[in-house]
Amino acid sequence: KLGDQDLQPNTTTFTAVINAYAKSSEKGSASKAEQLLAEMEQRSKKEIHLKPNTVTYNTVINALAKSNEFDGPERAEAILRNMMVRYRSGEVDVKPNAISFNSAIDAWAKSRDKRGPSRA
């Protein structure tokens, strides 16, 4: 028998993996970070210990900002907007902070999209 049945992934472990993707220069790593966030959001409906927090969201926004993916800035902004909606509805664990906004701005500033400067 391998592993410990009491050892379960949680917000911190998921965020650590997302952070590893954010720091990776491998193509598609930002999308993998985004997929893990989506998995956390889905699973946290039944497993509260997997609820993403501000750090989790910020890490994904940052991954998208650094990804150079053409739609990265739009996806980063969508995550920021999602955080704002969740916070306004009472989820205090996802309150956007300066890092949230600066990372989304950074995504647009680095964008190859002609709308980048005005969106930043």
Side-chain angles (χ1 to χ4, degrees):
K1 179 172 153 179
L2 296 175
D4 184 341
Q5 290 181 334
D6 294 328
L7 187 60
Q8 297 287 324
N10 60 27
T11 300
T12 303
T13 57
F14 263 82
T15 302
V17 174
I18 289 170
N19 190 44
Y21 282 128
K23 292 181 177 182
S24 173
S25 58
E26 183 178 319
K27 186 176 180 173
S29 59
S31 293
K32 290 178 183 176
E34 202 173 14
Q35 288 169 0
L36 275 179
L37 175 61
E39 181 180 339
M40 286 180 77
E41 289 174 334
Q42 184 62 35
R43 289 179 62 183
S44 69
K45 293 174 184 173
K46 292 182 180 177
E47 301 172 73
I48 192 69
H49 60 279
L50 293 179
K51 189 173 187 281
N53 59 26
T54 299
V55 174
T56 310
Y57 284 99
N58 287 351
T59 305
V60 177
I61 293 170
N62 188 46
L64 290 164
K66 293 178 178 180
S67 73
N68 293 323
E69 293 181 21
F70 187 77
D71 62 346
E74 287 181 352
R75 291 162 41 208
E77 186 176 335
I79 290 170
L80 175 60
R81 289 183 188 281
N82 182 30
M83 288 177 74
M84 292 169 26
V85 167
R86 286 173 170 246
Y87 177 69
R88 287 183 191 132
S89 71
E91 292 185 49
V92 295
D93 294 355
V94 297
K95 181 180 182 181
N97 59 22
I99 294 169
S100 313
F101 288 98
N102 286 338
S103 294
I105 290 167
D106 189 45
W108 280 111
K110 292 178 179 177
S111 172
R112 294 171 283 152
D113 189 313
K114 64 184 176 185
R115 301 171 298 156
S118 65
R119 296 299 297 244

